[in-house]
Amino acid sequence: MVGVPESHTGWTFVTNHARVLAAIADNPNIRIRDIAARCRLTERAVQRIISDLEQDGYLSHTRDGRTNTYRIQPDKVLRHPAEAGLTVASLLSLLVQDETDRSRESRVPSPSLVDVNDAR
């Protein structure tokens, strides 16, 4: 799979549930095998995560032959009290790039890091 980063050890900022949700948001017809490769998880782990997301109403799917089409509930509020009021859509807006942004980023060099004091 093109563009898949190498595996990573140690902590990260994004949970596996958020990664799976972002992969589905990027392609609602994505296969579990492809989600697993993209997120560096086993297929069984992806199945469990999808099941968690479906049980709590963040995600649903319809089956058409051998293909699943996933539907994310963008207005569903995130679970943790620290994110009270934030929706799935707001999370995904940070994690999923628009196709136009991707093509532009492939042509334009990425900007240098901004000093923390400049960001205020």
Side-chain angles (χ1 to χ4, degrees):
M1 184 173 207
V2 178
V4 176
E6 294 300 315
S7 62
H8 181 273
T9 58
W11 68 274
T12 64
F13 285 101
V14 180
T15 68
N16 289 336
H17 282 66
R19 283 189 189 93
V20 169
L21 199 60
I24 290 169
D26 201 32
N27 177 3
N29 297 312
I30 193 168
R31 298 178 308 168
I32 287 177
R33 173 178 292 150
D34 296 331
I35 296 170
R38 178 175 170 170
C39 298
R40 300 292 186 195
L41 300 167
T42 64
E43 288 180 37
R44 185 175 293 279
V46 171
Q47 288 172 333
R48 278 193 304 268
I49 289 169
I50 288 173
S51 177
D52 288 346
L53 293 169
E54 285 184 320
Q55 282 181 337
D56 286 345
Y58 290 92
L59 184 67
S60 61
H61 77 275
T62 55
R63 191 136 177 98
D64 183 22
R66 295 178 56 184
T67 304
N68 284 326
T69 300
Y70 297 97
R71 180 181 160 97
I72 294 171
Q73 299 302 319
D75 296 330
K76 183 95 170 153
V77 176
L78 300 181
R79 292 171 39 126
H80 196 279
E83 289 101 29
L86 291 176
T87 64
V88 169
S90 62
L91 172 66
L92 292 175
S93 72
L94 298 172
L95 299 177
V96 178
Q97 293 178 319
D98 187 283
E99 286 299 320
T100 56
D101 291 341
R102 283 190 193 163
S103 62
R104 185 178 14 190
E105 283 180 4
S106 66
R107 293 188 311 256
V108 178
S110 57
S112 61
L113 293 176
V114 176
D115 184 5
V116 173
N117 294 324
D118 292 341
R120 289 185 202 160

